[in-house]
Amino acid sequence: MGQSLWFASRGTGLVTALLLTATTVLGAIHAGRVTSARWPRFTLHAVHRNLSLLTLVFLAVHVASAIIDPYAGIAWLDVVVPFVSTYHPFWLGMGAVAFDLILAVVVTSLLRRRIGLWWWRAVHLSAYALWPVAMLHGVGIGGADTRLGWVLALYLACAAAVLVAVVRRLLVRDPDRDARRRAWTS
Amino acid sequence: MDIVSATAGDATTTTPYRMRLLAGWADTGTTAGLAEHHRRYAPLPPAAFAGRGGPARLIGLVESSGLRGRGGGGFPTARKLAAVAAGRGPRTVVANGCEGDPAGAKDRVLMELAPHLVIDGILLAAHAVGAAEAVLCVHEDSSAIPVLAAALRERGATRTPIRIVEVTRRYVASEETALVSVLDRGDARPRGRFPRPTERGVRSRPTLVDNVETLAHLALIARYGDAWFRAAGTDDSPGTTLVTVGGAVNDPGVYEIELGLPIGAILQVAGGPLVPVQAVLLGGLGGTWLGPEFVRTPLSHAGCRTAGAALGIAAVIALPAAACGIAETARVLRFLADESAGQCGPCMFGLPAIADDMDELALMPDHAGRVAARLRSRLAVIPGRGACAHPDGAVRLAASALHVFADDVAGHAEGGPCRWVGQPSWMPVPAPAGRRR
Amino acid sequence: MSRTPLRLRVEPITCHAHGICRELLPELIRLDEWGYPVLDDHPVPAALLAPARVAVRSCPSLALRLDRMA
């Protein structure tokens, strides 16, 4: 087997980063109420949801291969409890934080009807913190990988995409929200 | 506003006018203290409704009296009482004295002149439904508050504790789910039509929300019985009612009349028209315009329904023949749009849109036909889509204006802008310049 | 599955005019000029029950419901 598990972990980690970025970007676009004939909002939402589930699959392989591979001595506990590992405690800890947040976002989305919109929204908004934390984990722990030109370019492209989507979301006007804000003054 | 009561002098079609709620008080115009209250009405007969079957007997009496709510909906009071009485767990009575509609003043007048009658009604309702607490909701800064507070002090400890809660002075704040919401979380906005407060009201408990006039009638029914109550009024709307008469009459004010009295006679009760009257706005600001046929329209639920209107809060505003009904309606619509709680899309966007349309009809006659068509299509799409009936009332007002003032619409389409714009309004709404925001 | 007729209802306070229900179910839902759904009171035809359920599930505000008709 040799190093194959370790390579698998690094590779799936990078793919997870790409998928997470795509999910985040689509989520921000969706929340920003973009509609077009070719991309109706329900399509956007369906892709957002399916990409997030695909992210989970790659994340599972990424985590499992990193643990099973004996090279770094990562324990199962290190996956969910941040900053306790012997291997790069800080950068791996960032990964653990991101992992916990992803689980929280996914679980609350599955239980959205049960827990109500307020809690769902509160947790779902943490995705905007989750994304940079996950990316920092990748950049920091990636070591030599991160110094590869194409990997660096990929990270920069991801950052640009999320930045554009989030700024767009903040700038977009929502008549419903505006009307609600000004209506009741008593 | 003058507090005047009178007899229905010229009323030709009904039995002699009776005063019940305001009997005596209105002559002096001063508040009735407890001693005076007892002298006029005698203390409540406690024995009649005591014991295990007492509350059920009281509800049965209310049912056979045919009493219907006086807060606007006209719902049979006994049905509400029975629904709350059948609920589980501790129950609450909320007496609604907020009167959010500026067209009405009857609740304030009643609470100021006969506070003990309202308190009797609250205690009886609490007894009927088995409530352990009662709340009396009144608009903040209302002149009725010190009167009610004094009356409650005079009573000492009541069987069911009653506390007064002041509610923000907004149109929709007197809607029943808004009252439940303000008591639960201090937010005086309607919460939606289901579940009803009779099932899940204050603290999610079964809650009776009744208008203060309804409760005052209840206090009289408990004393004098169902047959006595039915001796006035009509089959479908028994008893007397308080009406607020405003607009172009000689003595605007609050009067007690027998239900079924034609609206023409009601204007006579209020001193008669000041000038020739072309129409009346019936039922409150979110009410219905009635053309000249109002003179013979009986003020009862069935009579109003036949005329295509609703009794609502029994307010009547007389509009002079010289005034422009379209311009007046536009002013009221602007007020109603500003009073939207801003929770439901069709209301927070729809009401300003129809107010704009009505403004345009009065001001820009060039394309009146197009504006009227757009307004009609909007009126068709808004009703029934809010959490409360506020948008429905605004639509009812606008639709009836297009119908009753069709000549004005046509006239605007021919001539220049409305001559009445800029004139003082006959409608009891704040002047546009003084609006919030 | 029960045979009780079902109808679509929207919670007016919760609805924030996302308009996704209309994209998914144009047969039964149209939008007013401000983007809020206009529903009729008729029962949902059996053939449209599946897309109606998808529309209910997809409402970002959880404002759309399928209710038993009284």
Side-chain angles (χ1 to χ4, degrees):
Chain A
M1 224 155 62
Q3 289 190 305
S4 62
L5 270 176
W6 192 239
F7 283 130
S9 185
R10 285 154 70 186
T12 48
L14 202 58
V15 175
T16 304
L18 289 176
L19 287 171
L20 185 65
T21 300
T23 306
T24 308
V25 166
L26 286 176
I29 293 176
H30 180 73
R33 301 195 168 209
V34 186
T35 38
S36 73
R38 287 187 58 177
W39 281 87
R41 286 192 65 197
F42 73 85
T43 318
L44 207 64
H45 180 254
V47 177
H48 167 71
R49 190 190 51 208
N50 292 345
L51 272 185
S52 71
L53 297 178
L54 196 61
T55 311
L56 274 191
V57 172
F58 276 84
L59 182 62
V61 176
H62 169 64
V63 167
S65 51
I67 293 168
I68 296 168
D69 185 88
Y71 167 70
I74 300 169
W76 287 103
L77 201 65
D78 300 338
V79 177
V80 286
V81 182
F83 314 121
V84 296
S85 62
T86 48
Y87 177 78
H88 290 296
F90 180 74
W91 298 118
L92 194 62
M94 297 296 261
V97 169
F99 184 84
D100 292 342
L101 285 175
I102 285 184
L103 280 192
V105 167
V106 169
V107 168
T108 51
S109 278
L110 294 174
L111 297 175
R112 198 164 70 116
R113 232 155 241 289
R114 211 165 276 252
I115 61 175
L117 216 54
W118 195 92
W119 283 109
W120 170 81
R121 195 178 136 82
V123 175
H124 220 76
L125 279 173
S126 76
Y128 291 112
L130 180 175
W131 180 84
V133 168
M135 297 306 271
L136 274 180
H137 156 76
V139 171
I141 216 164
D145 288 355
T146 312
R147 287 189 287 277
L148 292 172
W150 64 273
V151 174
L152 202 60
L154 220 53
Y155 278 135
L156 286 175
C158 285
V162 168
L163 196 68
V164 168
V166 168
V167 168
R168 228 199 122 280
R169 182 198 167 163
L170 291 175
L171 291 181
V172 79
R173 289 188 60 81
D174 175 357
D176 178 276
R177 191 187 52 204
D178 295 347
R180 276 169 209 276
R181 281 192 183 151
R182 72 166 172 261
W184 185 262
T185 46
S186 72
Chain B
M1 190 175 288
D2 290 343
I3 296 163
V4 186
S5 61
T7 54
D10 312 357
T12 49
T13 56
T14 54
T15 49
Y17 162 81
R18 290 181 185 79
M19 282 224 284
R20 292 172 164 180
L21 300 174
L22 299 186
W25 319 139
D27 298 343
T28 60
T30 53
T31 305
L34 189 57
E36 175 68 4
H37 173 72
H38 282 162
R39 194 179 65 74
R40 283 192 193 265
Y41 292 120
L44 275 181
F49 305 108
R52 280 178 64 88
R57 268 205 310 286
L58 179 54
I59 294 176
L61 188 70
V62 175
E63 179 164 18
S64 52
S65 78
L67 175 63
R68 297 172 72 159
R70 302 291 203 249
F75 194 78
T77 304
R79 291 238 297 270
K80 246 196 217 177
L81 287 169
V84 178
R88 292 173 163 276
R91 278 143 275 181
T92 305
V93 167
V94 177
N96 186 354
C98 282
E99 201 163 46
D101 193 322
K106 66 171 183 85
D107 291 339
R108 177 177 60 77
V109 166
L110 173 68
M111 291 187 293
E112 284 182 21
L113 289 184
H116 286 288
L117 207 53
V118 174
I119 293 170
D120 279 352
I122 296 173
L123 294 174
L124 281 163
H127 180 59
V129 303
E133 59 159 1
V135 186
L136 175 48
C137 291
V138 187
H139 265 160
E140 59 190 353
D141 311 323
S142 167
S143 50
I145 292 174
V147 179
L148 292 165
L152 282 175
R153 273 197 306 278
E154 211 178 353
R155 291 277 180 135
T158 44
R159 232 184 105 130
T160 311
I162 303 173
R163 70 192 159 98
I164 298 173
V165 170
E166 296 184 40
V167 178
T168 178
R169 198 176 273 279
R170 292 291 298 260
Y171 190 92
V172 294
S174 54
E175 197 265 350
E176 61 175 8
T177 64
L179 290 184
V180 169
S181 175
V182 82
L183 293 173
D184 272 351
R185 70 205 110 191
D187 177 7
R189 293 184 294 178
R191 294 311 303 168
R193 302 183 199 221
F194 298 100
R196 296 187 190 287
T198 50
E199 290 169 46
R200 279 173 65 89
V202 177
R203 271 169 275 151
S204 299
R205 296 162 173 179
T207 301
L208 180 81
V209 184
D210 260 335
N211 171 262
V212 287
E213 186 195 337
T214 314
L215 294 168
H217 284 293
L218 176 63
L220 294 184
I221 292 168
R223 287 183 170 89
Y224 307 127
D226 49 351
W228 168 86
F229 186 74
R230 280 188 170 281
T234 67
D235 274 353
D236 102 297
S237 311
T240 61
T241 193
L242 299 178
V243 293
T244 313
V245 188
V249 290
N250 282 303
D251 300 315
V254 174
Y255 300 87
E256 184 170 6
I257 57 121
E258 190 167 346
L259 279 158
L261 194 67
I263 293 170
I266 292 172
L267 294 193
Q268 293 303 326
V269 169
L274 199 60
V275 288
V277 166
Q278 59 168 321
V280 298
L281 176 55
L282 173 64
L285 293 184
T288 319
W289 285 109
L290 288 178
E293 78 274 15
F294 77 81
V295 174
R296 284 177 308 280
T297 304
L299 193 88
S300 66
H301 287 287
C304 292
R305 198 166 47 246
T306 307
L311 180 55
I313 58 162
V316 178
I317 300 169
L319 187 71
C324 171
I326 297 297
E328 295 286 20
T329 303
R331 282 174 173 143
V332 177
L333 283 176
R334 183 67 57 195
F335 171 77
L336 294 177
D338 285 348
E339 285 297 311
S340 167
Q343 300 189 107
C344 308
C347 183
M348 62 189 173
F349 290 105
L351 299 201
I354 62 175
D356 288 346
D357 286 344
M358 199 63 83
D359 269 345
E360 274 195 57
L361 277 188
L363 290 168
M364 282 185 236
D366 295 353
H367 44 271
R370 197 161 50 77
V371 176
R374 186 178 63 199
L375 175 53
R376 284 203 173 85
S377 73
R378 285 174 168 167
L379 295 181
V381 90
I382 295 172
R385 292 175 56 222
C388 70
H390 183 61
D392 305 6
V395 164
R396 182 163 52 216
L397 171 75
S400 69
L402 288 182
H403 175 66
V404 171
F405 307 119
D407 290 350
D408 276 325
V409 176
H412 284 125
E414 314 245 309
C418 178
R419 65 196 144 79
W420 204 258
V421 169
Q423 299 294 310
S425 175
W426 289 94
M427 298 291 114
V429 294
R435 277 208 318 265
R436 242 183 324 275
R437 294 204 296 274
Chain C
M1 285 303 268
S2 76
R3 292 268 154 203
T4 340
L6 299 171
R7 86 174 149 199
L8 286 167
R9 282 192 114 115
V10 64
E11 297 276 357
I13 296 178
T14 322
C15 173
H16 288 211
H18 288 275
I20 291 175
C21 53
R22 149 78 205 220
E23 292 178 349
L24 290 165
L25 200 60
E27 298 90 341
L28 297 180
I29 298 174
R30 64 192 174 93
L31 300 182
D32 64 20
E33 60 184 295
W34 308 285
Y36 297 86
V38 183
L39 312 176
D40 61 26
D41 264 353
H42 302 306
V44 177
L48 290 174
L49 270 177
R53 291 210 166 85
V54 173
V56 167
R57 265 205 309 277
S58 304
C59 174
S61 315
L62 304 180
L64 194 65
R65 296 194 330 227
L66 258 179
D67 278 0
R68 261 168 233 276
M69 292 185 80

